[in-house]
Amino acid sequence: MHADVHHLLHSARASELQGEATAFRLPRTSLRSRVGWTLVEVGLRLTQSRDTAATTAPRAGAFRTA
């Protein structure tokens, strides 16, 4: 394939892909806010898992030996 034909096909496909990508583009948010909300979500998950583990685990005084 000649270089000119290859370049023409590449540029046509690139423009098609750019057109399709604009339809799926997410709204731009700053990296700082995305990282911040991710940390909040992780913190909430960690606190929920600790609370449920603490309430479901038996206490040391609940066991009695004979």
Side-chain angles (χ1 to χ4, degrees):
M1 185 182 307
H2 292 284
D4 294 338
V5 175
H6 180 71
H7 178 69
L8 180 66
L9 290 173
H10 173 71
S11 61
R13 180 66 179 145
S15 65
E16 288 176 7
L17 289 174
Q18 285 178 347
E20 291 176 12
T22 56
F24 295 107
R25 188 166 290 161
L26 297 173
R28 294 189 84 172
T29 57
S30 69
L31 179 63
R32 183 176 177 171
S33 65
R34 284 189 287 170
V35 170
W37 282 112
T38 303
L39 288 174
V40 167
E41 183 179 355
V42 168
L44 288 173
R45 288 184 183 188
L46 287 174
T47 57
Q48 286 177 352
S49 66
R50 285 186 187 165
D51 289 343
T52 57
T55 57
T56 58
R59 296 183 182 198
F63 293 111
R64 294 186 184 205
T65 57

